[in-house]
Amino acid sequence: MPWDQSENEDYNVHISPKQKRDANASIYKGKRCRMESCFDFSICKKNGFKVYTYPQQKGDKISESYQNILSAIETSRFYTSDPSQACLFVLSLDTLDRDQLSPQYVHSLKTKVQNLPLWNNGRNHLIFNLYSGTWPDYTEDLGFDIGQAMLAKASIGTENFRPRFDVSIPLFSKDHPRTGGDRGYLKFNTIPPFRKYMLVFKGKRYLTGIGSDTRNALYHVHNAEDVVLLTTCKHGKDWQKHKDARCDKDNAEYDKYDYREMLHNATFCLAPRGRRLGSFRFLEALQAACVPVMLSNGWELPFSEVIDWNTAAVIGDERLLLQVPSTVRSIHQDKILALRQQTQFLWEAYFSSVEKIVLTTLEARIKPSTKFTAVIHAVTPLVSQSQPILKLLVAVSKSQYCAQVRSSEDQHVMFFFDFLILT
């Protein structure tokens, strides 16, 4: 079970407001950092965009997910084994899980990082993180001062996200494939695009602490017909101690439905915040060609500076949950088909493997000096993944110079290209 799907309810001491302020101050000392102010381009101009990963030290524990990230870098065209040639540095110390209650948590990381000979207050370093903070508050505290380092972080809030510096990445499980990855599940001839269910969700309901409000209210919208929103209280070893009057009924309804069957037979998939802003539901929905309905206010969506999420998702407001069913019902079937097709393109271009997530992260921070836009006009509607036009989209999207792809309702597809000119 992934760590964000379990809690230690015995850990019930809330940190004080002063401790929270101090924690945020220690993590975001470089809050105003941007590439032009906290990144040294001189080496990049001399040697090109090369990435160095620190050698792993004997005795340092490292998760499979972080090993996959390092392997993706080390097998990429950006990798160099010579630190003097490097433009960007990535730690071998596992920074993915900074939840103090997690068995993957690396202790004494602050001291270990500060003792790195090339650390230089984090300048030209990139830090990957999937989980931060701990129960019950789940702040974005990583437990050490990142200095001037960039963050590639899941569940990052817009208020802490540093534009043109940090990169928002998706939360992915330890089973996410390192390379390749399965294709999306959009089937041929899916017109009309409606499925058995209009809107679905299946996940935990939190009885205490952060992440409770939205999921606690889902039962108001659930109708057990085309809107199936299921929650369970049955998680964590002490759930019965906190159970409320709805738990038994919710748990029984929850057990009636198979999650994968729901996922593959729904038009829209709700993606409400969990303990943290992001959840596994986001990538699961994309792969299943189920249009994500985002209910996570303040979340900087993954690769937000590269992807226009309005073309592939419905961005909702947690405070307007009761309006969600009528909102998705009002979306025209042509628009639904376009949204679903875009989920498949984004899944295969950016998210289907750890390698794609890592390479997108690196490429998002190659600074352009020249840009141009190419527009492709499609005469017929895009209804099949086997069409040459969709094959072209996937092929061009893999270019190291393709910074963004957008589609419009009049069948235009626009490619935004960045060129890195090194002199």
Side-chain angles (χ1 to χ4, degrees):
M1 181 175 292
W3 179 250
D4 82 330
Q5 294 184 13
S6 62
E7 284 85 35
N8 185 337
E9 301 291 355
D10 292 332
Y11 187 85
N12 55 9
V13 180
H14 289 254
I15 63 175
S16 70
K18 182 179 184 302
Q19 287 175 308
K20 291 176 72 173
R21 286 195 302 271
D22 290 345
N24 284 333
S26 69
I27 299 308
Y28 295 105
K29 287 180 180 178
K31 193 169 180 65
R32 295 185 180 181
C33 272
R34 299 296 184 269
M35 295 296 284
E36 57 270 19
S37 60
C38 292
F39 194 91
D40 182 359
F41 284 100
S42 60
I43 302 177
C44 306
K45 291 179 179 179
K46 180 181 178 182
N47 302 317
F49 187 77
K50 299 295 183 181
V51 183
Y52 173 78
T53 59
Y54 284 79
Q56 297 180 30
Q57 301 299 313
K58 187 177 181 180
D60 285 344
K61 64 178 182 180
I62 185 168
S63 65
E64 182 179 353
S65 293
Y66 198 61
Q67 184 62 66
N68 287 342
I69 287 176
L70 296 179
S71 295
I73 296 172
E74 290 165 2
T75 55
S76 75
R77 64 184 181 276
F78 302 120
Y79 176 69
T80 178
S81 59
D82 183 355
S84 67
Q85 298 290 312
C87 171
L88 187 67
F89 299 83
V90 176
L91 305 180
S92 63
L93 296 165
D94 191 341
T95 56
L96 285 189
D97 194 339
R98 301 305 297 156
D99 184 336
Q100 296 175 23
L101 298 178
S102 170
Q104 301 291 343
Y105 182 81
V106 177
H107 295 273
S108 305
L109 189 59
K110 179 178 179 180
T111 302
K112 293 176 180 178
V113 169
Q114 294 297 330
N115 288 336
L116 294 173
L118 302 174
W119 175 242
N120 192 26
N121 193 33
R123 198 168 181 84
N124 286 48
H125 281 66
L126 177 64
I127 293 171
F128 286 89
N129 175 255
L130 294 180
Y131 308 99
S132 62
T134 193
W135 196 89
D137 300 288
Y138 295 92
T139 67
E140 294 186 25
D141 183 2
L142 300 189
F144 68 100
D145 181 6
I146 66 171
Q148 295 182 344
M150 297 179 289
L151 278 176
K153 190 179 188 318
S155 303
I156 190 169
T158 301
E159 63 179 14
N160 288 323
F161 180 76
R162 296 167 294 181
R164 302 177 307 281
F165 195 69
D166 294 331
V167 180
S168 176
I169 62 174
L171 181 65
F172 59 88
S173 73
K174 63 180 178 64
D175 298 321
H176 205 59
R178 184 175 73 85
T179 59
D182 293 333
R183 296 190 64 183
Y185 299 143
L186 183 62
K187 305 300 182 184
F188 301 134
N189 302 319
T190 51
I191 299 176
F194 299 111
R195 291 169 159 181
K196 177 180 178 181
Y197 304 108
M198 175 59 68
L199 178 69
V200 301
F201 172 77
K202 189 175 184 182
K204 293 187 298 185
R205 179 162 70 87
Y206 302 106
L207 300 171
T208 61
I210 195 171
S212 302
D213 295 344
T214 302
R215 296 194 184 193
N216 275 349
L218 293 183
Y219 77 99
H220 290 295
V221 183
H222 170 75
N223 63 19
E225 295 176 358
D226 65 339
V227 177
V228 180
L229 307 179
L230 309 167
T231 59
T232 179
C233 308
K234 197 173 182 179
H235 56 87
K237 63 181 182 180
D238 295 325
W239 70 272
Q240 289 186 326
K241 185 167 61 177
H242 302 287
K243 66 183 293 187
D244 58 23
R246 282 203 349 263
C247 277
D248 290 338
K249 181 179 179 181
D250 286 352
N251 292 345
E253 186 80 349
Y254 184 92
D255 291 337
K256 291 179 183 178
Y257 293 82
D258 178 76
Y259 175 60
R260 296 194 68 81
E261 188 274 334
M262 289 171 56
L263 194 66
H264 297 163
N265 291 283
T267 304
F268 295 93
C269 285
L270 201 65
R273 75 165 67 217
R275 291 297 199 190
R276 300 175 177 88
L277 292 170
S279 72
F280 296 131
R281 302 296 180 274
F282 181 71
L283 287 188
E284 291 167 350
L286 283 183
Q287 183 180 13
C290 186
V291 180
V293 179
M294 311 307 302
L295 288 183
S296 187
N297 294 9
W299 182 21
E300 188 73 26
L301 294 179
F303 304 136
S304 54
E305 295 178 318
V306 175
I307 297 172
D308 178 4
W309 281 107
N310 289 309
T311 66
V314 176
I315 313 299
D317 188 320
E318 293 177 82
R319 297 165 295 183
L320 303 176
L321 170 65
L322 300 183
Q323 296 182 17
V324 169
S326 60
T327 297
V328 297
R329 289 184 204 280
S330 69
I331 300 176
H332 192 272
Q333 68 176 28
D334 290 345
K335 178 65 173 177
I336 292 174
L337 181 59
L339 289 167
R340 293 183 63 203
Q341 288 174 331
Q342 188 70 351
T343 65
Q344 300 304 273
F345 169 74
L346 295 177
W347 166 257
E348 294 186 15
Y350 299 112
F351 299 109
S352 62
S353 67
V354 174
E355 180 182 57
K356 289 180 180 178
I357 292 171
V358 170
L359 292 181
T360 303
T361 301
L362 297 178
E363 291 170 349
R365 283 299 159 257
I366 299 178
K367 293 299 289 182
S369 56
T370 303
K371 297 183 181 181
F372 72 88
T373 301
V375 179
I376 297 177
H377 177 69
V379 178
T380 57
L382 305 179
V383 297
S384 168
Q385 291 187 49
S386 64
Q387 284 183 268
I389 184 67
L390 283 181
K391 291 181 179 179
L392 175 63
L393 298 185
V394 173
V396 176
S397 71
K398 293 178 180 177
S399 167
Q400 62 177 306
Y401 302 115
C402 185
Q404 192 173 151
V405 179
R406 294 184 182 179
S407 61
S408 61
E409 293 182 0
D410 62 353
Q411 297 297 314
H412 282 84
V413 180
M414 292 172 287
F415 290 84
F416 294 79
F417 291 89
D418 289 355
F419 274 118
L420 174 66
I421 298 179
L422 300 173
T423 58

